Amino acid sequence: MYKRICVIEGDGIGPEVMAQAIKVLNTIAKKFNHNFEYVYRLAGGVAIDKTGKCLPNETLDSVLETDSTLLGAVGGNKWDNQPPENRPEKALLGIRKAMQVYANLRPQKLYAELDSPLKAEYVGDGIDIMIVRELVSGVYFGEHIQSIEDNQNVATDIMKYTESEISRVAKVAFELAKQRTGNLILVDKANVLATSKLWRKVVIDMSKDYPDVNLEFMYVDNCAMQLIKKPSKIDTILTENMFGDILSDEASSLIGSIGMSGSASLGDGTRGFYEAIHGSAPDIAGKDIANPIGMILSSSMMLRLSFGMTEEADCIDKAINQFIKSGYRTADIMQDGKKLVKCSEVGNLICGFIG
Ligand code: NAD
């Protein structure tokens, strides 16, 4: 199969983790006789430095005409003084909005061999959580207003949702929950927020079409607590943009490292946007110690969800399992007696397990 993939390496550790994912994709292409063409494009801080714009038109055109996009990470202190509309993170929001990838899937799985910072009694039967986060609406996309009232500075951020924005992402969550354990939790703040009340109404109405899905509700503050106290009791979470952003970072630390999580952002078609959930990690950039597994898992999700390459994706996931079972560890997930490897070695080792 021939596929064109837009590759945005970005800033900080972005190019380091991306290089490992590309090695793995090349090995898969060879093994399964596919032809992956990579279209390298700029976004984020590096794009500001080279073109003056955090999201050049050429990049936007490419994400909209290739089969899918992989992104490393963007951002860093160097660009903190950019005007709000040209900050590196704006590139991400711009791509997500242009692609209309409204459903962000963030699986958080604890590998049996790795340590969770939680005590074993809290980890219970293990952690395997799917967070479905709404990605192109809510407060991040609402109006951000600064004004002066009664002689003092005032700031307002608007959080707005429409029924259709809620139902399209809820459908993704119901379908996923059905394929998993059949348990779906809507996380909201319906005791306070009007948007949350609308989420509940829409999701309850939809639940009639999914009799095999057990729907529960949890306030976001309680969910933050339950993720720590009983993560093994949580399967699929559906939530709005900002709550999902925060909860998925929290959940990622339960599985050992933020470097272990991939993500997929999907819209109506098959084209998707795939990135690890971590940022550009300026504190470790250039040291060859970043964990690229989240980026490699994101590539596997791309093969599975956008290209329908199930066998190929399974092959990557199994190779990652073997890498971990064989005792290889990057610095962030290092344990006594295990083999410490550099970021640049991880791709080769995983390719070796693909065979
Ligand atoms: P971060 O995720 O970059 O780093 C948080 C911590 O996790 C750091 O200690 C870092 O060293 C560590 N870490 C992150 N990824 C790792 C990996 N793969 N392996 C090992 N350790 C890893 O979050 P931050 O420090 O808050 O943000 C840094 C920059 O990244 C900021 O400019 C922020 O805006 C940006 N950011 C970008 C994205 C994105 O591109 N999708 C997401 C989040 C943050």
Side-chain angles (χ1 to χ4, degrees):
M1 220 184 266
Y2 169 65
K3 293 288 176 193
R4 292 182 76 233
I5 302 165
C6 179
V7 177
I8 302 174
E9 297 175 297
D11 307 313
I13 61 169
E16 301 173 42
V17 296
M18 184 65 80
Q20 306 314 303
I22 298 294
K23 284 181 195 170
V24 171
L25 284 173
N26 284 339
T27 302
I28 288 290
K30 203 167 164 198
K31 184 177 169 83
F32 291 88
N33 207 16
H34 296 307
N35 179 3
F36 297 147
E37 182 191 338
Y38 306 109
V39 181
Y40 280 83
R41 291 290 180 257
L42 298 173
V46 64
I48 296 172
D49 289 350
K50 291 193 178 161
T51 71
K53 285 174 76 179
C54 68
L55 182 56
N57 291 340
E58 185 190 43
T59 304
L60 206 47
D61 290 346
S62 292
V63 300
L64 294 175
E65 59 90 16
T66 48
D67 293 306
S68 274
T69 293
L70 291 173
L71 179 123
V74 294
N77 302 343
K78 185 179 171 195
W79 302 282
D80 276 354
N81 293 328
Q82 286 290 318
E85 67 283 1
N86 202 37
R87 285 181 61 98
E89 295 77 10
K90 272 280 172 190
L92 276 183
L93 300 188
I95 293 171
R96 291 168 180 168
K97 191 78 182 174
M99 292 181 83
Q100 275 300 297
V101 282
Y102 50 78
N104 182 215
L105 278 48
R106 297 187 158 205
Q108 310 285 350
K109 187 173 166 215
L110 175 65
Y111 289 81
E113 297 79 9
L114 297 188
D115 295 330
S116 168
L118 296 181
K119 287 183 184 161
E121 67 203 78
Y122 288 121
V123 172
D125 304 331
I127 301 172
D128 187 356
I129 298 170
M130 172 64 81
I131 298 181
V132 182
R133 165 190 171 196
E134 198 291 323
L135 201 61
V136 295
S137 188
V139 72
Y140 293 168
F141 288 91
E143 223 182 321
H144 309 294
I145 309 154
Q146 293 186 349
S147 56
I148 295 182
E149 290 172 24
D150 297 331
N151 284 328
Q152 60 175 329
N153 288 314
V154 176
T156 310
D157 299 293
I158 307 281
M159 185 195 279
K160 179 181 169 187
Y161 271 106
T162 64
E163 275 188 77
S164 56
E165 285 170 340
I166 298 167
S167 60
R168 61 187 184 176
V169 66
K171 185 168 187 292
V172 174
F174 273 111
E175 295 292 340
L176 272 170
K178 218 164 69 169
Q179 290 160 26
R180 291 170 55 92
T181 63
N183 292 298
L184 177 63
I185 303 173
L186 173 64
V187 173
D188 61 26
K189 193 72 185 167
N191 48 346
V192 182
L193 300 177
T195 46
S196 289
K197 291 190 175 87
L198 181 62
W199 272 81
R200 279 211 186 186
K201 180 186 175 312
V202 172
V203 172
I204 289 171
D205 285 351
M206 288 178 72
S207 68
K208 293 169 193 130
D209 296 330
Y210 294 91
D212 40 0
V213 173
N214 171 42
L215 175 66
E216 290 177 51
F217 306 94
M218 204 180 269
Y219 294 137
V220 62
D221 39 354
N222 185 25
C223 184
M225 193 164 66
Q226 296 308 325
L227 277 170
I228 304 286
K229 288 178 76 176
K230 290 182 184 163
S232 63
K233 300 278 177 261
I234 298 178
D235 185 76
T236 307
I237 286 175
L238 166 64
T239 192
E240 65 88 41
N241 200 344
M242 181 169 62
F243 295 162
D245 188 10
I246 298 167
L247 293 175
S248 55
D249 267 26
E250 181 190 351
S252 74
S253 57
L254 306 180
I255 63 164
S257 167
I258 195 168
M260 292 296 296
S261 304
S263 84
S265 302
L266 299 165
D268 284 334
T270 55
R271 180 181 291 133
F273 181 54
Y274 296 86
E275 51 179 330
I277 76 160
H278 59 75
S280 59
D283 52 336
I284 57 167
K287 297 183 179 164
D288 201 11
I289 58 171
N291 183 343
I293 291 181
M295 192 67 239
I296 297 171
L297 282 169
S298 305
S299 318
S300 154
M301 293 178 85
M302 175 181 74
L303 299 186
R304 189 184 303 282
L305 301 172
S306 284
F307 301 168
M309 297 179 181
T310 310
E311 201 185 333
E312 292 84 336
D314 286 347
C315 192
I316 297 179
D317 296 352
K318 275 187 204 142
I320 293 173
N321 272 316
Q322 278 180 280
F323 169 89
I324 292 167
K325 275 194 198 316
S326 304
Y328 294 110
R329 302 285 185 269
T330 44
D332 55 323
I333 52 170
M334 188 56 190
Q335 297 158 305
D336 283 350
K338 302 297 178 193
K339 294 167 248 182
L340 181 65
V341 291
K342 294 187 180 305
C343 177
S344 56
E345 295 173 286
V346 177
N348 299 345
L349 287 162
I350 290 177
C351 289
F353 289 118
I354 290 171

